[in-house]
Amino acid sequence: MMRGRGDKKAKVSPYVPGWIHDAVDEVARYRDHSLRIIPREGEAAHALVMTAFHDTHTINQLSPYFWRTYQRNDTIWPGHDSYEDIQALIGFHGLSVQRIHMRFSKLEIKDLLELKAALSIPIAHTVCALLVLALKQERVVKLAARI
């Protein structure tokens, strides 16, 4: 028997350094500027992650880290025997880190779990990698911030 709401969102809270928190906070301010409400960091981070997830160029940048083949619609990114170490992208050695909290729908989590399987890393690291790549691309940030 399933308990609780069927539409409940799953929480993912990766550790990120301060520069990511600052960037996400700024995106949140742009997103909420027209509404004149307090910026919501988690919603802005979610928007950045999902915008990056749906961006083919971002997945192309992530593909050298794939251990296993990843497929979305008609596009296939092969896995590699000589994959790159994802820590080069998400390893924040020597930096102070803190969690950033995001919530994803069940369908979004299902999609992210498929990407996680290709990377062979925890879901929080997958979300962190997407967030880092999103913030490195002005086009993705503008889409997420609705600029």
Side-chain angles (χ1 to χ4, degrees), residues 17-78:
W19 70 267
I20 290 181
H21 270 278
D22 294 344
V24 169
D25 186 51
E26 188 151 340
V27 170
R29 287 185 188 159
Y30 276 104
R31 288 175 53 84
D32 295 334
H33 179 70
S34 62
L35 301 175
R36 305 242 188 260
I37 59 175
I38 298 170
R40 292 188 177 95
E41 186 179 74
E43 290 175 14
H46 171 268
L48 284 162
V49 167
M50 293 314 296
T51 302
F53 175 80
H54 291 291
D55 182 59
T56 303
H57 179 69
T58 303
I59 302 302
N60 287 340
Q61 290 181 312
L62 200 55
S63 67
Y65 304 103
F66 289 168
W67 289 32
R68 296 182 181 95
T69 298
Y70 176 66
Q71 180 177 355
R72 184 185 317 151
N73 301 326
D74 295 334
T75 307
I76 296 175
W77 291 270

Side-chain angles (χ1 to χ4, degrees), residues 74-85:
D74 295 334
T75 307
I76 296 175
W77 291 270
H80 308 283
D81 287 336
S82 58
Y83 53 86
E84 292 182 25
D85 185 7

